[in-house]
């Protein structure tokens, strides 16, 4: 798995990465992408991580200020995927991680969102 990543650097004992994805290429074709000459989307794809390990989900966003969601698999009720028809055709979606106790975090424009949910279901069952 490619990225010299936050997730790799923060694995705990006996933990390994099962699945890793990033933002879909569609983020380049937004006003922000065009006005920043595609620099901002390139930085986001390079820096932000959405990882499933055999023990938890790790979602890290941000370059200068960092936001991380790290939740043990046994504390997650479900991972939802929302997709428009366009999103289904091009293989991306919004991932929403819902934890026990009502924690709810959404991450839009994630590549392979359905595969992310499937891998979560496989490791958490």
């Amino acid at each position: 798995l490619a990225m010299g990543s936050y997730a790799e650097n923060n694995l705990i004992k006996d933990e390994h990465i099962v699945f890793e994805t990033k933002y879909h290429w569609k983020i380049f074709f937004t006003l922000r992408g065009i006005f920043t000459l595609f620099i901002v989307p390139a930085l986001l794809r390079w820096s932000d991580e959405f990882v499933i390990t055999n023990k938890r989900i790790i979602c890290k966003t941000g370059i200068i200020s960092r936001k991380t969601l790290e939740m043990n698999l046994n504390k997650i009720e479900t991972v939802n995927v929302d997709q428009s028809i366009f999103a289904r055709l091009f293989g991306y979606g919004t991932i929403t991680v819902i934890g026990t106790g009502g924690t709810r975090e959404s991450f839009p424009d994630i590549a392979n969102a359905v595969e992310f949910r499937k891998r979560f279901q496989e490791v958490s069952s």
Side-chain angles (χ1 to χ4, degrees):
L1 294 154
M3 308 163 202
S5 69
Y6 173 86
E8 284 176 357
N9 295 332
N10 288 282
L11 293 176
I12 55 181
K13 188 175 186 301
D14 299 325
E15 184 177 32
H16 61 272
I17 292 172
V18 175
F19 185 73
E20 185 170 3
T21 190
K22 54 188 164 196
Y23 290 112
H24 190 264
W25 53 261
K26 89 149 203 94
I27 67 169
F28 287 93
F29 301 99
T30 61
L31 285 176
R32 181 162 83 170
I34 293 163
F35 284 130
T36 63
L37 305 175
F38 309 112
I39 293 168
V40 168
L43 287 171
L44 290 174
R45 270 183 64 108
W46 171 77
S47 70
D48 293 7
E49 302 174 43
F50 306 94
V51 175
I52 299 173
T53 74
N54 59 318
K55 297 186 179 217
R56 59 195 168 143
I57 284 182
I58 302 170
C59 298
K60 190 239 351 155
T61 59
I63 301 166
I64 295 163
S65 65
R66 178 181 288 169
K67 180 181 169 191
T68 58
L69 167 76
E70 297 183 36
M71 197 177 294
N72 292 341
L73 295 175
N74 61 0
K75 298 287 186 201
I76 299 171
E77 284 180 17
T78 189
V79 173
N80 288 337
V81 176
D82 294 315
Q83 292 180 302
S84 65
I85 292 170
F86 192 72
R88 284 182 60 197
L89 286 171
F90 289 99
Y92 68 93
T94 297
I95 295 170
T96 303
V97 179
I98 301 170
T100 57
T103 312
R104 177 186 210 97
E105 292 281 339
S106 291
F107 302 94
D109 302 328
I110 305 303
N112 307 311
V114 172
E115 183 69 15
F116 187 93
R117 178 181 59 201
K118 182 177 150 198
R119 293 294 186 88
F120 163 74
Q121 289 167 337
E122 288 171 358
V123 295
S124 67
S125 58

